[in-house]
């Protein structure tokens, strides 16, 4: 279907623009623009609960981004400009920094997603088509890490130091909670979606540690997760679901007997997903944890 490929390509173009723009307003516009093609993809090509999933992603992300818009307006009033290089030179009072930090962090917390804003991700992943899941897990979740590096660390450094214990506690609770939820799931796609949340929490803690090694680790882990998570989605949502039209984990017992090569890849990527040694995920998580421990 040509429309499907056009929508996927448009999301890719918007994301590239998002990563290269040098202005806060443009960042916000592109941040929101990814929603439109993603909403159309899920609502047209999704599974049976596609309407619920598309509404979830639209309402959650749109409402949370309004707080980010408030902070951008404040920057515009104070600096008369929203370019990153001009904003980075401005020194703000701690009270104002705190307000801006909370507003931006709400937008990032939903995108990542942190608890208690995490409920949209499994629903959206389980109902969206393969391309939507890959782009969502592989790139769109990484916008949160990029947003922290661009918007929070250069200008709101004092507020960042002040709120680090709170963010760390929320991240740790989210990490443990989503890991426990993952153990109880029966849908393979939802299992991968929930494991994505716990990986993203490590990247958020790493990047907010504001240490050189922590930021590097979170970028490495973001790249690793952006490769491994889509690979798992291709195996589960693309290959297995395409052949058997079922995603329940009980259905695939003894998969290695009739799909040995696919099973091998599934095992390799699953080990990479749990950050087994020699995988890029392991390097990213270890370097992030060193940065997190140095901070605390």
């Amino acid at each position: 279907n040509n429309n499907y490929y056009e929508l996927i390509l448009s999301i890719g173009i918007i994301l590239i623009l998002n990563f290269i723009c040098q202005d806060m307003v443009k960042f916000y516009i592109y941040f929101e623009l990814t929603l439109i093609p993603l909403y159309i993809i899920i609502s047209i090509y999704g599974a049976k609960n596609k309407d619920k999933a598309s509404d979830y992603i639209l309402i959650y992300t749109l409402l949370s981004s309004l707080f980010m818009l408030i902070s951008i307006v404040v920057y515009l009033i104070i600096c008369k400009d929203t370019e990153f290089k001009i904003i980075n030179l401005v020194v703000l009072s701690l009270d104002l920094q705190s307000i801006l930090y909370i507003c931006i962090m709400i937008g990032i917390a939903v995108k990542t997603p942190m608890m208690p804003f995490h409920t949209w991700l499994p629903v959206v992943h389980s109902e969206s088509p393969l391309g939507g899941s890959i782009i969502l897990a592989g790139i769109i979740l990484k916008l949160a890490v990029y947003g922290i590096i661009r918007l929070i660390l250069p200008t709101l450094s004092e507020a960042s130091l002040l709120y680090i214990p709170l963010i760390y506690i929320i991240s740790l609770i989210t990490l443990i909670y989503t890991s426990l939820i993952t153990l109880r799931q029966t849908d393979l796609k939802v299992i991968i979606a929930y494991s994505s949340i716990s990986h993203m929490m490590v990247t958020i803690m790493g990047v907010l540690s504001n240490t050189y090694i922590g930021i590097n680790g979170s970028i490495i882990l973001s790249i690793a997760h952006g490769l491994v998570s889509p690979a798992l989605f291709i195996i589960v949502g693309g290959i297995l679901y395409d052949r058997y039209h079922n995603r329940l984990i009980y259905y695939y017992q003894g998969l290695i007997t009739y799909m040995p090569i696919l099973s091998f890849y599934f095992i390799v990527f699953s080990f990479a997903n749990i950050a087994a040694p020699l995988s890029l995920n392991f390097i990213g998580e270890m370097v992030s944890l060193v940065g997190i421990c140095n901070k605390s």
Side-chain angles (χ1 to χ4, degrees):
N1 194 322
N2 286 342
N3 293 339
Y4 177 76
Y5 297 123
E6 283 166 10
L7 287 164
I8 293 285
L9 189 65
S10 66
I11 295 176
I13 292 164
I14 293 163
L15 285 165
I16 290 166
L17 291 169
N18 205 335
F19 282 115
I20 63 171
C21 71
Q22 296 293 314
D23 189 84
M24 225 171 170
V25 175
K26 287 175 187 169
F27 179 87
Y28 175 78
I29 290 165
Y30 296 136
F31 196 77
E32 289 303 291
L33 262 181
T34 51
L35 271 181
I36 298 165
L38 201 62
Y39 179 84
I40 297 165
I41 283 172
I42 295 167
S43 56
I44 295 173
Y45 304 103
K48 59 180 184 291
N49 283 335
K50 56 191 177 186
D51 296 335
K52 181 186 174 185
S54 52
D55 291 344
Y56 258 45
I57 193 166
L58 187 72
I59 292 162
Y60 266 83
T61 315
L62 206 61
L63 288 177
S64 65
S65 297
L66 290 174
F67 290 97
M68 194 183 281
L69 187 63
I70 292 166
S71 63
I72 292 167
V73 169
V74 172
Y75 272 122
L76 194 59
I77 291 164
I78 294 165
C79 309
K80 305 288 187 288
D81 204 327
T82 53
E83 272 197 39
F84 290 135
K85 59 185 179 186
I86 291 168
I87 288 167
N88 294 352
L89 299 172
V90 178
V91 179
L92 302 169
S93 69
L94 186 58
D95 295 341
L96 191 57
Q97 275 192 40
S98 300
I99 294 163
L100 292 171
Y101 183 87
I102 290 164
C103 286
I104 293 171
M105 213 51 206
I106 288 168
I108 285 165
V110 172
K111 206 78 167 177
T112 322
M114 282 182 182
M115 209 183 113
F117 309 113
H118 68 287
T119 48
W120 66 267
L121 192 82
V123 176
V124 171
H125 268 311
S126 62
E127 302 305 324
S128 69
L130 180 61
S133 286
I134 289 169
I135 283 192
L136 193 63
I139 309 168
I140 292 177
L141 291 185
K142 312 301 175 285
L143 275 177
V145 177
Y146 181 72
I148 289 171
I149 294 168
R150 268 292 191 213
L151 307 176
I152 287 178
L153 295 182
T155 44
L156 309 174
S157 48
E158 289 169 5
S160 182
L161 283 171
L162 189 67
Y163 287 104
I164 266 182
L166 177 66
I167 300 294
Y168 271 21
I169 288 163
I170 294 169
S171 299
L172 280 170
I173 290 168
T174 312
L175 202 155
I176 296 161
Y177 177 60
T178 49
S179 302
L180 290 172
I181 290 172
T182 309
L183 297 173
R184 298 291 300 151
Q185 295 305 313
T186 54
D187 188 322
L188 281 165
K189 232 178 171 186
V190 177
I191 290 169
I192 301 163
Y194 269 122
S195 69
S196 292
I197 301 175
S198 48
H199 290 306
M200 288 312 296
M201 287 306 110
V202 180
T203 63
I204 292 293
M205 290 200 291
V207 78
L208 277 173
S209 69
N210 207 358
T211 56
Y212 183 71
I213 194 162
I215 293 166
N216 271 351
S218 67
I219 291 167
I220 293 165
L221 183 55
S222 293
I223 294 164
H225 180 264
L227 296 169
V228 170
S229 198
L232 285 167
F233 276 121
I234 289 166
I235 291 168
V236 170
I239 298 167
L240 291 180
Y241 188 74
D242 190 51
R243 281 152 180 74
Y244 300 106
H245 299 287
N246 197 319
R247 286 202 308 262
L248 291 179
I249 199 164
Y250 307 121
Y251 192 82
Y252 295 108
Q253 290 174 357
L255 185 71
I256 200 162
T257 53
Y258 49 93
M259 275 186 161
I261 299 167
L262 183 86
S263 301
F264 170 75
Y265 282 115
F266 200 7
I267 289 163
V268 167
F269 284 118
S270 297
F271 272 117
N273 202 39
I274 59 166
L278 301 181
S279 65
L280 192 59
N281 297 61
F282 174 75
I283 298 163
E285 284 201 15
M286 284 307 294
V287 176
S288 294
L289 287 169
V290 169
I292 293 161
C293 294
N294 283 354
K295 186 70 188 175
S296 54

